[in-house]
């Protein structure tokens, strides 16, 4: 099963890179997570002379490491605010290409790098493909919060209807997950999210919230690797 999923991730990632990273592109945004590992692998298969002329903008400690390990040149959005294309994974994608992101707590930097790009492309395996957000990804919408405000934000999220919202705890560390930006994450389930823009607005208006893992009306295309080895391409 694992290899089927890895194969699906790889197929989606390779096709997205092949179709959207063009020789004339000079600045490429690179998302985070396990599917993006395959994006970087494909980038490294390009002509080294092309990669040498290109700057790659990572979205986390993890993706920065992937790029540096591959010998690629990294930059940040402060230096490169016009990105040709950003390719990233997702935790779930709906029929309109709205996405839940932040399963790896990287959604703040991911959203900034996605918004700085002319094109934002999602790569995922078949498990992420939904009609409505909340169908497959039931852990909740990741919400990055400033640490001192977490209890206050949690109460507000509960008042908004996310009664199961909870602070994300670390696995190999006592206490909460601390993001690359020094913040905490609250995972806030909202059931089936038929109106993700409303949830995004409502949650983002809570003081203490830094960013919400709902990416609405951002992606141009999503590539889903399927169980049968094919790739489904969904455009807006
Ligand atoms: O914070 C993490 C990111 O939003 C990832 O892109 C997302 O969690 C998908 O990761 P994966 O490709 O490992 O499923």
């Amino acid at each position: 099963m694992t290899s089927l999923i890895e194969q699906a991730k790889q197929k989606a990632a390779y096709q997205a890179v092949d179709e959207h990273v063009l020789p004339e592109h000079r600045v490429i945004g690179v998302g985070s997570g396990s599917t993006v590992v395959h994006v970087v692998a494909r980038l490294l298969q390009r002509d080294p002379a092309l990669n040498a002329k290109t700057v790659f903008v990572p979205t986390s400690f993890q993706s920065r490491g992937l790029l540096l390990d591959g010998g690629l040149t990294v930059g940040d959005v402060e230096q490169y605010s016009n990105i040709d294309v950003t390719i990233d994974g997702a935790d779930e994608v709906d029929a309109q290409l709205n996405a839940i992101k932040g399963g790896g707590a990287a959604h703040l930097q991911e959203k900034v790098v996605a918004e700085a790009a002319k094109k934002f492309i999602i790569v995922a395996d078949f498990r992420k493909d939904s009609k409505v957000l909340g169908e497959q990804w039931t852990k909740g919408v990741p919400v990055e919060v400033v640490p001192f405000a977490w209890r206050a934000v949690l109460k507000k999220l509960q008042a908004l209807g996310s009664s199961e919202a909870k602070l994300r705890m670390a696995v190999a560390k006592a206490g909460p997950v601390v993001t690359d930006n020094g913040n905490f994450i609250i995972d806030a389930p909202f059931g089936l999210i038929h109106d993700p823009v409303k949830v995004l607005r409502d949650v983002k208006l809570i003081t203490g919230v830094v960013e919400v893992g709902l990416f609405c009306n951002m992606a141009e295309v999503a590539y889903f690797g399927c169980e049968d080895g094919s790739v489904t391409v969904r455009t807006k």
Side-chain angles (χ1 to χ4, degrees):
M1 189 59 182
T2 306
S3 67
L4 196 66
I5 292 168
E6 276 315 306
Q7 200 183 66
K9 290 178 183 181
Q10 187 193 54
K11 291 232 171 182
Y14 277 27
Q15 192 169 328
V17 170
D18 293 352
E19 293 181 2
H20 292 280
V21 181
L22 306 179
E24 61 268 30
H25 287 163
R26 288 292 164 268
V27 186
I28 308 296
V30 177
S32 307
S34 57
T35 315
V36 164
V37 171
H38 300 289
V39 169
V40 176
R42 192 56 162 175
L43 289 170
L44 290 170
Q45 291 168 19
R46 298 200 315 158
D47 177 358
L50 264 184
N51 279 340
K53 288 192 281 190
T54 311
V55 171
F56 297 88
V57 180
T59 51
S60 63
F61 178 91
Q62 180 238 358
S63 69
R64 183 177 155 84
L66 290 174
L67 296 170
L68 291 176
D69 288 348
L72 299 170
T73 304
V74 298
D76 59 36
V77 270
E78 199 178 350
Q79 300 164 285
Y80 302 97
S81 54
N82 292 313
I83 296 174
D84 291 304
V85 60
T86 291
I87 304 183
D88 201 348
D91 299 304
E92 189 173 24
V93 184
D94 74 11
Q96 282 75 43
L97 300 188
N98 300 304
I100 293 180
K101 290 183 50 53
H107 58 280
L108 169 59
Q109 291 186 38
E110 289 176 339
K111 202 180 263 193
V112 172
V113 172
E115 286 181 351
K118 291 188 194 97
K119 273 188 189 179
F120 174 51
I121 312 294
I122 291 178
V123 288
D125 63 75
F126 52 89
R127 299 169 305 162
K128 320 291 185 63
D129 187 359
S130 286
K131 282 203 167 57
V132 178
L133 295 179
E135 264 174 21
Q136 325 269 355
W137 183 260
T138 53
K139 293 180 190 171
V141 175
V143 181
E144 182 157 352
V145 298
V146 291
F148 81 90
W150 81 267
R151 274 190 197 278
V153 173
L154 186 73
K155 277 192 185 159
K156 299 272 185 194
L157 287 167
Q158 288 166 343
L160 277 179
S162 183
S163 56
E164 301 297 316
K166 59 175 185 295
L167 186 65
R168 191 184 297 179
M169 302 307 283
V171 176
K173 163 195 172 275
V177 166
V178 179
T179 70
D180 289 356
N181 319 298
N183 296 315
F184 292 170
I185 297 286
I186 293 175
D187 290 300
F190 283 95
L192 291 180
I193 304 176
H194 292 283
D195 189 350
V197 173
K198 181 176 179 348
V199 175
L200 170 59
R201 282 205 190 113
D202 288 349
V203 176
K204 198 147 178 186
L205 279 174
I206 301 172
T207 304
V209 168
V210 181
E211 193 47 77
V212 185
L214 281 169
F215 286 43
C216 300
N217 303 315
M218 290 177 63
E220 195 166 295
V221 193
Y223 289 76
F224 298 99
C226 305
E227 281 176 282
D228 64 3
S230 65
V231 175
T232 297
V233 183
R234 184 178 305 148
T235 50
K236 280 210 104 171

